[in-house]
């Protein structure tokens, strides 16, 4: 059997299992030791060295899903992002970032880069020309996130990675929204792929974790800084994450079926101004989405017309939870202006097109008719 060419559900289920050699149990045992032997061993293990048995094995599953040589797991998505960026940026370097990236990443850049004498530029839009014009002689990294949060805009991954290669610049992508089920950026030329594993990898809104996948050489560089910053994930949570990831492909596919159906329902609704979903033909990047993604994902956003009381709508929902975070098996909605993008100034929000009437919708696995009924009843109560 060719173990290098497994299907995605098989990778999710089997790759990276820890074998229970002692009792022959059918699932990975948890190794919680924070103290391992140093004599007569091949690897000197320690949780903060990211190399306990559970960490080591789960990394293989993540690397296989992303078609990467290697991977690392972190205590949060932000630990993965900050450790990766600081591993490659030194004083005097410059980084180009896509304009509408995750609010926490933007906050990290804007509050920390000055302290390390690292220069940064945010693109104005997502065109290749704009990325090109931001590159300077000291540019070290181009950082993208596609589809973006919360407007679901797409960047042409292959075009950006080709541009970066031609200038000797490293590329980093936040692949959280797409997941490797829908998008494998390394196959499109990207160097380093990052995930907030808090989202689809965990999938049940009960884990906070992060992951990075890349070549062994790049992972080694991230590891060198990682052991100093100490952002590893506890082995109990690593084990929970492995358990969750067995159903990653099943969940994402069920969630994006719901997303496509709900996007069409919302688009046809008289109280809704517009819907952002890459799987709609009206989406400006629909063709790009078809080219670089295997599926359109399970996140969408929509804007209410002014005759709807938006906060009243959220409070009237009976099934869909208005809550922070995303990607769980349960559907959730939030107001980006008050949560994920609250740290931005209102001018930054306006520049990005994030209004107070915009709702981000993370689709779960519920029956679509129940989601539609819930939205209908909540809208009916809030027509001003
Ligand atoms: C949540 C999120 C992050 C940050 O991850 P944490 O696990 O909360 O640290 C980064 N990028 C995206 C796209 C996210 O949604």
């Amino acid at each position: 059997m060719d173990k290098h060419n497994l299907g995605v559900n098989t990778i999710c289920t089997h790759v990276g299992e820890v074998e229970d050699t002692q009792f022959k149990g059918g699932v990975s045992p948890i190794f919680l030791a924070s103290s391992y032997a140093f004599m007569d061993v091949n690897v000197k293990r320690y949780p903060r060295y990211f190399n306990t048995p559970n960490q080591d094995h789960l990394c293989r599953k993540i690397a296989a899903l992303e078609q990467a040589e290697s991977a690392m797991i972190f205590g949060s998505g932000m630990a993965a992002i900050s450790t990766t960026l600081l591993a490659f940026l030194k004083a005097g370097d410059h980084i180009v970032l896509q304009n509408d990236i995750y609010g926490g990443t933007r906050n990290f850049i804007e509050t920390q880069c000055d302290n390390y004498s690292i220069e940064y530029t945010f693109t104005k839009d997502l065109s290749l020309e704009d990325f090109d014009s931001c590159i300077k002689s000291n540019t070290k990294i181009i950082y993208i996130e596609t589809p973006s949060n919360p407007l679901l805009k797409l960047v042409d991954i292959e075009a950006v990675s080709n541009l970066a290669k031609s200038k000797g610049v490293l590329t980093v992508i936040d692949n959280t929204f797409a997941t490797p089920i829908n998008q494998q950026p390394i196959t499109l030329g990207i160097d380093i792929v990052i995930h907030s594993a808090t989202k689809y990898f965990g999938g049940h809104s009960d884990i906070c974790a992060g992951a990075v996948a890349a070549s062994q050489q790049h992972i080694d560089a991230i590891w060198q800084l990682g052991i100093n910053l100490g952002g590893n994930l506890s082995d109990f949570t690593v084990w929970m994450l492995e358990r969750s990831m067995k159903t990653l492909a099943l969940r994402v596919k069920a969630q994006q079926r719901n997303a496509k159906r709900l996007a069409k329902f919302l688009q046809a609704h008289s109280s809704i101004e517009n819907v952002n979903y890459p799987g709609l033909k009206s989406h400006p990047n629909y063709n790009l989405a078809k080219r670089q993604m295997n599926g359109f994902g399970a996140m969408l956003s929509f804007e209410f017309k002014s005759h709807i009381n938006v906060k009243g709508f959220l409070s009237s929902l009976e099934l869909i939870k208005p809550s922070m975070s995303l990607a769980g098996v349960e559907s959730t909605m939030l107001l980006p202006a008050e949560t994920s993008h609250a740290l931005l100034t209102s001018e930054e929000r306006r520049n990005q097109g994030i209004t107070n009437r915009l709702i981000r919708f993370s689709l779960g696995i519920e029956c679509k008719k129940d989601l539609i009924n819930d939205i209908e009843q909540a809208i009916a109560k809030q027509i001003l």
Side-chain angles (χ1 to χ4, degrees):
M1 187 179 173
D2 179 9
K3 289 216 168 176
H4 297 287
N5 195 22
L6 298 172
V8 74
N9 273 315
T10 316
I11 295 174
C12 286
T13 324
H14 289 299
V15 173
E17 286 176 291
V18 183
E19 195 185 341
D20 179 356
T21 51
Q22 196 175 4
F23 299 109
K24 312 285 180 204
V27 299
S28 299
I30 312 180
F31 292 95
L32 291 175
S34 60
S35 173
Y36 286 85
F38 67 92
M39 293 195 294
D40 305 321
V41 291
N42 301 330
V43 186
K44 293 195 178 66
R45 298 185 194 272
Y46 186 59
R48 186 171 44 75
Y49 284 6
F50 298 85
N51 62 3
T52 56
N54 291 94
Q55 290 182 83
D56 187 48
H57 280 71
L58 180 55
C59 287
R60 298 179 199 179
K61 192 192 297 289
I62 293 169
L65 285 168
E66 286 291 1
Q67 299 199 32
E69 264 173 29
S70 189
M72 270 176 83
I73 307 157
F74 288 85
S76 68
M78 283 313 302
I81 291 166
S82 55
T83 307
T84 299
L85 293 183
L86 293 178
F88 294 99
L89 294 169
K90 56 183 192 321
D93 286 344
H94 173 248
I95 175 171
V96 174
L97 302 106
Q98 173 181 331
N99 183 19
D100 53 348
I101 51 169
Y102 177 72
T105 310
R106 190 179 185 107
N107 188 250
F108 167 69
I109 294 292
E110 290 182 335
T111 60
Q112 302 305 313
C113 279
D114 286 352
N115 298 334
Y116 296 90
S117 301
I118 295 164
E119 294 175 52
Y120 59 89
T121 308
F122 285 97
T123 63
K124 281 188 243 23
D125 56 48
L126 304 187
S127 69
L128 194 63
E129 296 69 43
D130 196 16
F131 276 97
D132 196 7
S133 71
C134 292
I135 297 176
K136 307 202 288 187
S137 58
N138 58 340
T139 303
K140 201 70 183 288
I141 294 180
I142 297 181
Y143 185 99
I144 60 174
E145 183 178 318
T146 176
S148 72
N149 175 30
L151 296 171
L152 287 307
K153 291 186 195 162
L154 266 59
V155 175
D156 188 331
I157 298 173
E158 197 164 22
V160 169
S161 55
N162 286 341
L163 169 70
K165 280 203 179 78
S166 75
K167 310 247 173 167
V169 172
L170 206 63
T171 43
V172 180
I173 188 172
D174 183 331
N175 203 30
T176 300
F177 270 34
T179 82
I181 309 307
N182 286 325
Q183 187 166 279
Q184 292 171 312
I186 287 174
T187 67
L188 299 169
I190 293 287
D191 294 307
I192 300 173
V193 180
I194 301 186
H195 284 277
S196 169
T198 312
K199 314 296 164 52
Y200 289 101
F201 282 14
H204 298 72
S205 308
D206 53 10
I207 288 174
C208 183
V212 178
S215 67
Q216 191 60 54
Q217 192 192 347
H218 288 139
I219 291 293
D220 288 346
I222 297 165
W223 184 84
Q224 288 294 343
L225 180 66
I227 61 170
N228 291 317
L229 296 183
N232 63 289
L233 186 62
S234 96
D235 280 290
F236 185 71
T237 316
V238 172
W239 182 87
M240 283 179 65
L241 189 55
E242 189 216 320
R243 186 184 196 272
S244 299
M245 287 188 68
K246 292 184 187 203
T247 57
L248 174 66
L250 287 181
R251 283 187 276 109
V252 168
K253 286 176 185 171
Q255 286 170 274
Q256 71 193 9
R257 270 197 303 277
N258 274 346
K260 195 160 189 188
R261 179 69 190 84
L262 270 286
K264 285 182 176 159
F265 159 75
L266 293 166
Q267 196 177 38
H269 202 289
S270 58
S271 294
I272 285 161
E273 187 72 47
N274 66 303
V275 179
N276 307 303
Y277 183 62
L280 290 175
K281 292 207 173 68
S282 58
H283 190 284
N285 302 127
Y286 175 72
N287 286 326
L288 176 60
K290 285 219 316 205
R291 179 148 50 84
Q292 72 183 15
M293 301 178 77
N294 305 319
F296 299 112
M299 298 297 303
L300 61 84
S301 58
F302 61 95
E303 210 163 358
F304 272 119
K305 290 185 179 161
S306 56
H307 66 269
I308 297 292
N309 173 351
V310 177
K311 283 192 188 165
F313 164 81
L314 289 172
S315 320
S316 302
L317 291 166
E318 291 174 7
L319 197 63
I320 300 166
K321 293 191 174 105
S323 58
M324 303 275 278
S325 207
L326 59 108
V329 289
E330 74 287 2
S331 292
T332 59
M333 286 187 185
L334 64 66
L335 280 172
E338 297 203 4
T339 53
S340 56
H341 292 66
L343 293 174
L344 305 188
T345 63
S346 51
E347 193 194 336
E348 281 173 330
R349 275 198 296 274
R350 209 171 32 250
N351 287 342
Q352 291 185 25
I354 296 164
T355 70
N356 294 338
R357 318 193 63 76
L358 183 78
I359 290 186
R360 189 188 72 191
F361 190 3
S362 169
L363 274 295
I365 59 170
E366 301 94 336
C367 297
K368 51 185 180 291
K369 73 168 172 35
D370 298 326
L371 298 174
I372 289 173
N373 288 343
D374 194 23
I375 293 170
E376 297 265 36
Q377 67 80 23
I379 289 178
K381 286 184 189 144
Q382 296 304 327
I383 297 177
L384 297 172

